Amino acid sequence: MNDLPAPFQPTLGLVFWTLIVFVLLLIVLTKYIFPTLVQMTVDRENAIKQQMADAAQMRAESAAALEEQRQLLASARGEALAIVAEAREAADRERSIAVEKTRLEQEELLARARREIGAERERAVADIRREAVDIAISAAAKVVGARLDVAADRKIVEEYIASIAGGARG
Amino acid sequence: MIQHTQGPAEQFNIGEMIFHHTGDAHELDFQPLITIELPRFAPVHVGPLSIDLSPTKHVVFMLLAAAIIITVLKIAGNGVRKAYALGQAPRGFAGAMEALVLWVRQDIAMESIGHESGAKYAPLIMTFFFFILVCNLLGLLPWGASPTGNLAVTGALGLIAFGAIEIGGMRKLGFKGYMGTIFPHIEGLPPAGAMALSIFMAPIEILSKFVKPFAFMVRLFGNMTAGHFVILTMFGIVFLFGHFGFVSWALGVTSAVVVLAVMGLELLVAFLQAYVFALLAAVFIGLMQHEH
């Protein structure tokens, strides 16, 4: 047996050597060996991380787009309602204008008809009156057997008829 | 593993044989072929300490372990790179080694430490695993020795784990946060009581910090040494009863069968202890990283 202690008695020299060997091995493995072996997994991990980040971003974007669409829809609906209301108002206005115009036209037509009827009646009354004067003078001339002064008699008859008409009207 | 050819049992000292094989030495013993003397340096004096930096058998086997790890993983790495360059999944040896490395990285390191700090500590955990595994396995080879069956080696590994746990924790938590792991924050008590209890707890917390690496050191050393002791003792029986005539044959066969079985068990233990060391180191680092 040599002069070194049994395995139960640690020596500082071996502690030192272990630290050196382990640290060197750690450096070599970390720098040159492990990257090749774990690269695929690390790449996959990074790809998944990236995909998750992308998915989160896309979700946020689509949520924003959805909100925008919703707002657009709401504003479009508002606009449509406004347009319909405006159209209805315009239609109402147009209709009332048309109704008013028709009413005015009708009234005018009516007034004209009345005026024409009145004028016709006046003319008819005047004709009847002239006929009546002529008949009355003719009858009176027959009665008295003489020719009456046409102009003077006519005046008398006409005044008389007028008085009758006035009395009848009155 | 056993190359002793001592003669009769009267001259054979089983204890000496066991210590010779499990202990460190200044020579590489390849009896009966050759014995290589290792260079001796004068001890270095650091303050009151006298450190003998002469390389020993276990240093050589640690270097051998490191060389084996680098070579094997380099070959596997090349295979993996070639396979991926061809757009294929690695197969055979390269695929198996990649799976083993990834298992240590993902299922031990990342799982226990967490994905945030896990990637940073994964190389350390993977190095722990492979270094301890190969050191353990070297002890099962003929003329081999297990550096992990030496308290100095396991102590140094425990020291590295301790450094990773505590310094990593200090960097992550900051000074105030780290002090919180020594003076725990105690809830549900009035301030004075909480402070008193916190100060009272401090020695226990400090002790628990040192118990962890100590447990690392003793667990690995104990497991590896115990296995070797059992194997060597069983072999020793052959030499002890070598002159018993017919009985010696029966004993020889029996002990060879038992040794074979224990060797099989040791193979499992070699993997298990590497796994346990790496897992516990990762768990403790993870606990420290997530301490609040």
Side-chain angles (χ1 to χ4, degrees):
Chain A
M1 198 81 182
N2 50 53
D3 58 344
L4 274 176
F8 299 101
Q9 293 170 313
T11 55
L12 282 175
L14 196 52
V15 172
F16 168 80
W17 276 108
T18 308
L19 294 177
I20 295 289
V21 172
F22 187 87
V23 170
L24 285 179
L25 179 66
L26 177 64
I27 291 168
V28 171
L29 291 182
T30 308
K31 222 167 163 148
Y32 303 107
I33 309 289
F34 286 145
T36 321
L37 285 160
V38 302
Q39 198 53 50
M40 279 303 289
T41 308
V42 172
D43 286 352
R44 221 173 292 149
E45 257 172 33
N46 290 340
I48 290 168
K49 247 183 238 167
Q50 186 60 43
Q51 279 172 0
M52 280 170 78
D54 287 352
Q57 197 189 338
M58 280 169 75
R59 200 169 49 207
E61 274 174 15
S62 63
L66 191 69
E67 184 56 31
E68 200 181 328
Q69 290 292 322
R70 219 170 260 159
Q71 279 174 2
L72 271 174
L73 200 66
S75 73
R77 190 174 290 151
E79 270 177 33
L81 284 176
I83 288 168
V84 168
E86 204 177 307
R88 192 173 289 153
E89 196 182 322
D92 283 351
R93 205 165 48 233
E94 285 295 320
R95 196 176 56 202
S96 59
I97 288 169
V99 167
E100 181 66 16
K101 199 173 152 194
T102 311
R103 195 176 59 80
L104 286 175
E105 279 176 4
Q106 272 177 347
E107 278 177 5
E108 199 184 331
L109 276 173
L110 212 60
R112 202 195 301 159
R114 272 197 198 114
R115 269 200 313 277
E116 280 175 5
I117 290 165
E120 285 295 321
R121 199 182 61 194
E122 292 285 320
R123 206 164 41 242
V125 168
D127 284 351
I128 288 166
R129 216 174 262 166
R130 204 167 43 246
E131 287 292 317
V133 170
D134 288 347
I135 290 165
I137 289 172
S138 305
K142 290 269 193 235
V143 170
V144 293
R147 216 185 133 99
L148 295 175
D149 182 0
V150 175
D153 294 341
R154 177 168 291 268
K155 199 171 184 282
I156 292 163
V157 173
E158 276 179 358
E159 279 173 4
Y160 172 65
I161 286 170
S163 74
I164 291 169
R169 256 183 223 139
Chain B
M1 177 171 253
I2 301 296
Q3 298 85 39
H4 268 259
T5 52
Q6 271 101 333
E10 288 80 25
Q11 293 172 14
F12 180 68
N13 182 337
I14 194 165
E16 191 190 319
M17 184 270 282
I18 288 172
F19 280 126
H20 176 75
H21 279 282
T22 53
D24 207 355
H26 280 295
E27 76 263 335
L28 298 177
D29 190 359
F30 297 110
Q31 287 293 342
L33 303 173
I34 190 174
T35 301
I36 302 168
E37 281 291 326
L38 294 169
R40 300 290 295 264
F41 305 140
V44 177
H45 295 280
V46 182
L49 296 172
S50 168
I51 307 172
D52 182 5
L53 293 179
S54 310
T56 60
K57 181 171 78 173
H58 285 160
V59 175
V60 173
F61 274 91
M62 276 193 290
L63 289 168
L64 182 64
I68 289 171
I69 295 164
I70 291 170
T71 311
V72 165
L73 292 184
K74 180 73 187 157
I75 292 167
N78 288 345
V80 167
R81 195 169 40 210
K82 269 184 208 155
Y84 283 130
L86 293 170
Q88 295 167 341
R91 297 171 60 175
F93 175 72
M97 289 313 293
E98 191 203 24
L100 186 63
V101 168
L102 288 178
W103 171 69
V104 178
R105 184 178 188 270
Q106 303 302 121
D107 290 353
I108 298 180
M110 303 291 264
E111 194 71 22
S112 306
I113 301 173
H115 280 257
E116 194 191 335
S117 317
K120 200 168 67 181
Y121 287 97
L124 177 71
I125 303 300
M126 291 193 279
T127 309
F128 269 140
F129 180 82
F130 285 104
F131 183 69
I132 292 168
L133 175 66
V134 176
C135 282
N136 292 350
L137 290 175
L138 280 178
L140 299 177
L141 295 176
W143 294 296
S146 269
T148 42
N150 189 310
L151 264 183
V153 174
T154 60
L157 293 175
L159 200 65
I160 293 164
F162 177 75
I165 296 165
E166 301 304 325
I167 296 171
M170 232 179 270
R171 285 176 61 183
K172 170 87 179 182
L173 302 171
F175 180 74
K176 197 166 169 248
Y178 182 75
M179 291 316 280
T181 66
I182 295 172
F183 299 98
H185 177 65
I186 294 157
E187 289 185 21
L189 280 179
M195 189 180 273
L197 195 56
S198 181
I199 291 169
F200 182 71
M201 291 285 283
I204 299 169
E205 294 286 344
I206 292 169
L207 192 66
S208 88
K209 283 186 189 299
F210 287 101
V211 164
K212 284 173 204 163
F214 186 77
F216 274 130
M217 173 173 83
V218 174
R219 185 186 305 109
L220 183 56
F221 164 75
N223 274 284
M224 296 328 294
T225 309
H228 291 144
F229 275 22
V230 171
I231 291 169
L232 292 168
T233 309
M234 286 296 148
F235 262 133
I237 289 172
V238 179
F239 297 103
L240 279 177
F241 298 97
H243 58 293
F244 273 23
F246 172 73
V247 179
S248 70
W249 284 92
L251 275 171
V253 171
T254 311
S255 67
V257 169
V258 172
V259 166
L260 195 67
V262 177
M263 281 282 215
L265 188 70
E266 278 302 289
L267 206 62
L268 180 74
V269 171
F271 276 93
L272 193 69
Q273 285 308 312
Y275 170 69
V276 166
F277 196 107
L279 180 69
L280 286 179
V283 166
F284 290 142
I285 289 171
L287 281 176
M288 199 62 163
Q289 296 283 313
H290 298 117
E291 188 78 47
H292 291 295

